[in-house]
Amino acid sequence: MIILLLPIMIVIISTPISHNSFFNSAFLTAIPSTTKYSLSELIQQGSPYLGDPSSPITIIDFSDFQCHLCARFVKNTEPLINETYIQTGRVALVFKHLPNRGLDSMGAHLAAQCTNDQGKFWQFHNLLYENQQGIDTGWVNEENLRKFASQIPGLNIEQFNSCFGTQKYREFIDKDVELANSKGFFDTPNFIIVQSIDGSDPEVIRGAQPFPAFQSVIDKKLDDSGQ
């Protein structure tokens, strides 16, 4: 008797995970408790922030100004977070630079951090997202970034141009990118939500999730902290 052993081929089909579905269980992950993100430390380091420094909860936002999903978050979800939690003193929002969407992204982030020197970061941040166009189409080239800066009321343009022209914050932004990559963030946007006082109990929200995704995490942390 002759027995023929036929090879069996197993094909595994990988389905991409959508970052936009609130009901996708992959949108929320925990990160090691040893990772600390104290709000006071983040502010001291020079990261732009919005809200009360004594807010009990902090959202750390890793984004790119050329990222279309980041713009969606800024236009649709961030205003609700601002109205519900930031303006009521319960949450602070910290911005971390993750320029990875195109060659022009770094320039946009260098310019934005320069506006932070004059307390104008969030005005510039919103202006860029409001005027966002296709990746590397020139909308955030050096000339246009200077034009955007000139539209910010009260911004000292000479001070801005000096900061921007010397790439003053290149090392600062590189460190933000290193931090993001060390946490497995190679796409944008990504968010870490922590207890402000010591950066404890960190949880990650991946992608431009809708407001309820943030609300459920924030409310739980507020309850845990007795707020």
Side-chain angles (χ1 to χ4, degrees):
M1 178 187 297
I2 299 175
I3 300 175
L4 297 178
L5 299 178
L6 300 178
I8 299 174
M9 180 179 293
I10 300 175
V11 179
I12 300 176
I13 300 175
S14 176
T15 302
I17 296 175
S18 169
H19 283 203
N20 299 318
S21 172
F22 169 60
F23 296 101
N24 186 336
S25 62
F27 88 90
L28 177 62
T29 56
I31 57 179
S33 59
T34 54
T35 304
K36 300 297 183 183
Y37 301 93
S38 160
L39 176 57
S40 61
E41 289 176 347
L42 292 168
I43 293 173
Q44 268 190 338
Q45 292 164 9
S47 290
Y49 74 98
L50 188 64
D52 188 336
S54 62
S55 299
I57 305 299
T58 298
I59 301 173
I60 307 168
D61 171 9
F62 292 82
S63 285
D64 183 325
F65 289 113
Q66 292 204 95
C67 161
H68 300 309
L69 290 179
C70 300
R72 179 189 300 177
F73 168 79
V74 168
K75 294 173 182 178
N76 298 333
T77 304
E78 190 174 284
L80 294 174
I81 293 174
N82 190 5
E83 177 184 352
T84 308
Y85 297 109
I86 297 176
Q87 295 303 316
T88 57
R90 293 182 292 170
V91 168
L93 177 65
V94 173
F95 187 89
K96 282 293 189 182
H97 303 274
L98 186 47
N100 63 0
R101 291 290 178 152
L103 297 176
D104 289 345
S105 290
M106 178 57 79
H109 286 265
L110 288 168
Q113 189 62 32
C114 283
T115 65
N116 193 56
D117 281 353
Q118 302 184 50
K120 304 292 185 180
F121 174 84
W122 294 101
Q123 293 96 315
F124 193 76
H125 164 281
N126 293 341
L127 187 61
L128 291 187
Y129 281 122
E130 287 167 6
N131 290 275
Q132 189 188 76
Q133 298 180 30
I135 293 174
D136 286 349
T137 57
W139 75 279
V140 280
N141 61 25
E142 183 176 336
E143 179 183 358
N144 284 334
L145 286 168
R146 294 182 190 275
K147 287 181 180 178
F148 284 131
S150 69
Q151 297 174 32
I152 304 297
L155 184 78
N156 183 320
I157 197 65
E158 290 185 4
Q159 182 181 336
F160 168 83
N161 285 337
S162 175
C163 176
F164 182 46
T166 59
Q167 296 194 10
K168 176 181 176 181
Y169 287 107
R170 181 60 186 257
E171 184 178 353
F172 180 89
I173 292 170
D174 285 343
K175 287 181 179 179
D176 274 4
V177 174
E178 289 175 11
L179 174 63
N181 292 167
S182 73
K183 305 308 167 196
F185 300 160
F186 298 96
D187 204 352
T188 49
N190 280 290
F191 307 87
I192 303 175
I193 304 179
V194 298
Q195 299 287 347
S196 297
I197 190 168
D198 58 1
S200 63
D201 192 23
E203 291 185 83
V204 172
I205 291 181
R206 298 181 179 274
Q209 302 297 336
F211 176 68
F214 290 84
Q215 185 178 35
S216 62
V217 176
I218 293 169
D219 285 350
K220 183 179 183 302
K221 288 188 180 299
L222 288 170
D223 287 343
D224 290 346
S225 61
Q227 299 294 321

